[in-house]
Amino acid sequence: MLMSFALSSLRSRGKSLALTFLSLLISVSVLLSVEHVRLQAQESFNRTVSDVDLIVGAPSGQLNLMLYTVFRMGSPTNNISYASYEMLQQHPQVNWAIPISLGDAHHGYRVLGTNQQYFDHYKFGNKQPLVFSQGEPFKGVFGAVLGADVAKALNYKLGDDIVIAHGLGAVSFQNHDDSPFTVTGILAPTGTPVDKTLHVSLQGIEAMHLPHAQLDSVLAQSDNLTNPAVQPDSVTAVMVGLTSKFATFTLQRDLNNYPDDRLMAILPGVALTEMWQMMSSVENLLRFISLLIMLSSLFGLSTMLLASMQQREKEIAVLRIIGAGAGTIFRLILTEALLLAGAASLTAVALVSGAFAVAKGWLASHYGLFISANLVTLHTAMVIGAILLATLICSLLPAIDAYRGAINQRL
């Protein structure tokens, strides 16, 4: 009965109700968006790489090294020698070493030069290995393995030829047309930057920059990965897995003081922590602004209910005549407020989910953020619960005013 009265009363004030509903909808949407992006961004970054003990590159700051090596964001400032990679590969405390070479692109997608170690040892999420949905790793100089999003967006299939461009832009004026790569495999989706990466051999990266005279001989021996003409002089970075976690800090110190090359070794977990510490002030500012917007909307709701009290004197009088007590009137006002806030919250969940479903591809390609469109989570439920509690508190004043008015009418 109380719910029916509340719905009827809200429908009778259509214009003011619509404006209040829109105000609540916008504020709840902003709050849910900020919270969802905050949590999803952190989860997206944390799940990108796992089981890597050290990342070794040229000195450039641990955050910068992490961003361009793992997240394909930014550009490397310098390379390390290939001899340093070989030293790591042969080090007694190193279980495996994955070379990474960056600097080229294909239609805006990053090209990563590496070797078989990448497909054997690279893991993401909860130590999940890379899986091929089609084909196999490259075995020759000019083989290419595509991330799931690259293959889907560019409609590539096994056996297609690909021409790589110099530089990282979507449009390039220098294409390596003389040394096309052939697609040998397509990786299954990972929800990480791997999906938007085109993987080729280190020798292929070196070969496509060779003069024409040398390139012809390489093309004639394209299956020979040991051809001295295509052995690289340097790599961008190396991902390292150790035989024992206890050796991590010792090896990191030794590499940072390595006399034969300028090296910097970082711990991925420490670099991620530093990144979130840097972002925490911006994160808290966004949350504060969204909370202020939410509070202003709730005060608007309270004001609307207070302003309607004089107009509702006859309505309250009728309710009193049919036997509704002052407590019932009090609960009626609170029910109306909760219904309005609840409807705005549910609509906001649907609206924000739809917005992220549409924008998730753009966010992934431009910012490396893999944001889920699913807002039906425990955290969302907690946020909506807090909104309803705040609505209840802000509605106490108009509810008390209605309660007093009901008692005065009886007197």
Side-chain angles (χ1 to χ4, degrees), residues 232-245:
D233 296 323
S234 64
V235 294
T236 303
V238 182
M239 294 182 178
V240 176
L242 303 181
T243 55
S244 171
K245 304 295 181 183

Side-chain angles (χ1 to χ4, degrees), residues 46-57 65-66 69-70 72 88 94-100 117-118 120-128 130 194 237-245 248 251-252 265-272:
N46 288 342
R47 75 187 299 271
T48 299
V49 64
S50 66
D51 207 31
V52 172
D53 297 311
L54 291 172
I55 298 177
V56 183
L65 178 58
M66 164 71 79
T69 303
V70 176
R72 323 286 193 259
L88 287 168
V94 172
N95 185 25
W96 49 262
I98 301 173
I100 301 292
Q117 295 286 311
Y118 182 87
D120 291 340
H121 298 291
Y122 188 94
K123 293 181 175 61
F124 64 97
N126 188 22
K127 297 185 178 180
Q128 298 169 255
L130 297 176
V194 171
V238 182
M239 294 182 178
V240 176
L242 303 181
T243 55
S244 171
K245 304 295 181 183
T248 302
L251 183 58
Q252 181 188 27
I266 66 169
L267 282 71
V270 174
L272 281 171

Side-chain angles (χ1 to χ4, degrees), residues 292-330:
L292 286 180
I293 295 172
M294 186 74 246
L295 283 175
S296 67
S297 296
L298 291 177
F299 285 137
L301 171 63
S302 180
T303 302
M304 185 271 288
L305 292 173
L306 275 173
S308 68
M309 285 302 105
Q310 289 184 345
Q311 303 172 0
R312 302 177 66 180
E313 289 181 356
K314 292 182 180 179
E315 177 186 335
I316 293 174
V318 172
L319 291 173
R320 296 289 285 151
I321 290 171
I322 62 176
T328 302
I329 304 300
F330 178 86

Side-chain angles (χ1 to χ4, degrees), residues 213-280:
Q214 289 180 275
L215 182 60
D216 290 339
S217 65
V218 173
L219 289 171
Q221 305 177 55
S222 60
D223 292 334
N224 182 14
L225 291 175
T226 61
N227 187 333
V230 291
Q231 295 308 306
D233 296 323
S234 64
V235 294
T236 303
V238 182
M239 294 182 178
V240 176
L242 303 181
T243 55
S244 171
K245 304 295 181 183
F246 296 108
T248 302
F249 295 104
T250 302
L251 183 58
Q252 181 188 27
R253 183 179 64 251
D254 292 344
L255 292 175
N256 288 339
N257 297 311
Y258 186 60
D260 298 334
D261 197 2
R262 296 182 68 246
L263 302 180
M264 179 179 66
I266 66 169
L267 282 71
V270 174
L272 281 171
T273 301
E274 178 186 334
M275 181 175 66
W276 290 118
Q277 288 175 345
M278 292 177 59
M279 294 177 62
S280 62

Side-chain angles (χ1 to χ4, degrees), residues 43-189:
E43 182 181 340
S44 175
F45 275 70
N46 288 342
R47 75 187 299 271
T48 299
V49 64
S50 66
D51 207 31
V52 172
D53 297 311
L54 291 172
I55 298 177
V56 183
S60 59
Q62 66 174 357
L63 187 55
N64 188 43
L65 178 58
M66 164 71 79
L67 288 176
Y68 67 70
T69 303
V70 176
F71 301 105
R72 323 286 193 259
M73 298 171 66
S75 301
T77 56
N78 209 342
N79 285 355
I80 63 175
S81 69
Y82 190 76
S84 295
Y85 159 67
E86 292 180 319
M87 176 272 296
L88 287 168
Q89 195 176 31
Q90 297 164 10
H91 197 285
Q93 293 176 327
V94 172
N95 185 25
W96 49 262
I98 301 173
I100 301 292
S101 183
L102 301 168
D104 294 295
H106 178 71
H107 293 295
Y109 292 100
R110 293 291 185 106
V111 173
L112 184 149
T114 188
N115 60 17
Q116 183 63 41
Q117 295 286 311
Y118 182 87
F119 305 107
D120 291 340
H121 298 291
Y122 188 94
K123 293 181 175 61
F124 64 97
N126 188 22
K127 297 185 178 180
Q128 298 169 255
L130 297 176
V131 176
F132 280 81
S133 62
Q134 300 178 49
E136 60 184 4
F138 45 75
K139 290 184 172 63
V141 174
F142 293 106
V145 173
L146 309 183
D149 288 352
V150 178
K152 182 178 179 182
L154 302 179
N155 197 29
Y156 282 141
K157 59 184 182 298
L158 298 181
D160 286 349
D161 287 338
I162 292 174
V163 174
I164 292 176
H166 182 68
L168 302 177
V171 178
S172 176
F173 296 101
Q174 184 178 350
N175 294 323
H176 300 285
D177 301 289
D178 296 332
S179 51
F181 289 78
T182 302
V183 178
T184 65
I186 297 173
L187 294 170

